[in-house]
Amino acid sequence: MCEGASGTGMDAALVAPRPALGDAIDPIGLEPVDEVIVTTLVDNVYDALLQGDERTTRVSFGVGLAEAPQFEGGETAVGLRAEHGFSALVTVRRDVTTTSLLFDAGLSPDAMMVNADRLGVDLLGVQGVVLSHGHFDHVGGLAGLAGRCGGRSLPMVVHPMAWTRRRLTVPGADPLEMPTLSRRALEAEGFALVERRQPSLLVDDCVLVTGEVDRTTEFERGMPAAHEAWTGSGWRHDPDVVDDQALIVHVRGRGLVVLTGCGHAGAINIVRHAQRLTGISAVAALVGGLHLSGPAFEPVIGPTVEALTAMAPSLVVPGHCTGWRAQHALAAALPNAWTAGSSGSSYRVDAA
């Protein structure tokens, strides 16, 4: 863990993940918390005109300043950065103990750190990192975090397939190989890697990382043929992105808060998997990328919205790769739950 991590009294042994006991027919004992706050450090959108409410905190252009000699006073307001990526700070409170985890790190090496600094978030205080999957738009900011931590150890939960080489082979264009996450580089930078396919409990059993998500719906069929993975001897269609995993918190009296990176396993698959793992049916919030953008995924919007509406979540914050058509559909179907995502916004769920 980075120096200065916090003052919560929790050490690495307490925060580090361990195997989660139980399975779908023997629910995992996920301890309820009194509050969870999800702060989006990086998202595809930054909107300084969004208004907050009792559950959402927004930031204005004034949160960031930059030198600009063409203005009187020599500076201007720049707000926060938005990019095609996702990163969130998850802060959970149970009784008097508060713990923060980083979920994903955005696309570029510096955007997450710049936004955190402008928000006054000290990422030296995070007690661990969880990666939703290995795609480069969720891990790029680890370089900035490693530079800030100065080589000191920080636990990181990652699926063992996150190191997979992948590429896009769009018809009519040359294959585009994605940047591949390096295990060796992360270990050299001080990250203490914990690779698990199965569910893991963190933070004294208050946070659950799903591990691989069961694919049970008929309509969530994964990535199109253009998404390929390297097998060691050749490229093959990679529809499942099996390293896709989510982070789950149980807020006392409210239900599950489900945080996704891209939701490659399918938003409904992920929520149902969380319900099966924990034995808790109530869904308090769904936050993060739902991957419903583009021709391959737009046919999935209707059944996704229908299934999610039946779950009656109190808060839905679709971000990153959700896409504008799905945003409109979700806002229309869930007007009291849907909330616009934006870099720098914080979403709070309190115990009942």
Side-chain angles (χ1 to χ4, degrees), residues 41-46 78-83 108-112 114-115 118 343-344:
L41 297 178
V42 176
D43 204 347
N44 290 34
V45 172
Y46 171 64
V78 295
L80 297 178
R81 294 189 182 179
E83 62 181 14
S108 63
D110 61 341
M112 178 183 71
V114 167
N115 285 352
R118 290 176 182 176
S343 289

Side-chain angles (χ1 to χ4, degrees), residues 10 74 84 95 98 122 130 133 150 154 170 187 210 249 256 262 275 288 330 332 336:
M10 302 189 72
H84 185 87
D95 297 326
T98 300
D122 182 9
V130 177
H133 62 301
L154 189 64
V170 179
E187 289 177 333
T210 62
V249 181
L256 300 177
C262 267
Q275 291 171 320
L330 288 162
N336 296 322

Side-chain angles (χ1 to χ4, degrees), residues 102-320:
L102 182 67
F103 183 76
D104 287 353
L107 173 71
S108 63
D110 61 341
M112 178 183 71
M113 300 305 300
V114 167
N115 285 352
D117 288 344
R118 290 176 182 176
L119 290 167
V121 172
D122 182 9
L123 289 182
L124 291 179
V126 301
Q127 314 237 322
V129 180
V130 177
L131 297 185
S132 66
H133 62 301
H135 278 165
F136 65 102
D137 50 335
H138 294 257
V139 302
L142 293 175
L145 182 63
R148 182 68 57 89
C149 288
R152 289 161 287 192
S153 180
L154 189 64
M156 177 184 291
V157 185
V158 59
H159 188 284
M161 295 300 290
W163 324 111
T164 302
R165 285 177 61 193
R166 292 180 167 118
R167 72 177 187 178
L168 296 175
T169 55
V170 179
D174 292 334
L176 175 64
E177 186 165 348
M178 304 179 193
T180 303
L181 191 62
S182 169
R183 178 196 291 109
R184 181 171 55 187
L186 290 180
E187 289 177 333
E189 289 166 344
F191 293 103
L193 302 179
V194 181
E195 298 184 40
R196 284 188 57 78
R197 293 176 178 269
Q198 296 79 25
S200 297
L201 284 167
L202 289 69
V203 190
D204 201 19
D205 298 351
C206 290
V207 174
L208 173 65
V209 181
T210 62
E212 291 182 17
V213 175
D214 292 341
R215 314 300 171 101
T216 58
T217 67
E218 296 180 354
F219 54 89
E220 293 169 315
R221 300 181 179 177
M223 298 291 281
H227 187 261
E228 297 182 340
W230 178 251
T231 65
S233 58
W235 294 96
R236 60 165 174 79
H237 180 207
D238 177 25
D240 291 335
V241 192
V242 294
D243 45 318
D244 187 77
Q245 54 187 357
L247 186 148
I248 314 297
V249 181
H250 175 206
V251 180
R252 182 180 290 105
R254 298 290 186 188
L256 300 177
V257 174
V258 180
L259 181 61
T260 70
C262 267
H264 287 296
I268 304 306
N269 278 333
I270 290 169
V271 175
R272 290 178 179 171
H273 188 70
Q275 291 171 320
R276 286 195 304 277
L277 287 177
T278 62
I280 298 165
S281 59
V283 180
L286 174 62
V287 182
L290 305 186
H291 217 287
L292 294 169
S293 180
F297 295 97
E298 287 172 1
V300 183
I301 293 174
T304 299
V305 171
E306 181 179 0
L308 187 59
T309 301
M311 296 174 179
S314 300
L315 176 67
V316 177
V317 189
H320 181 38

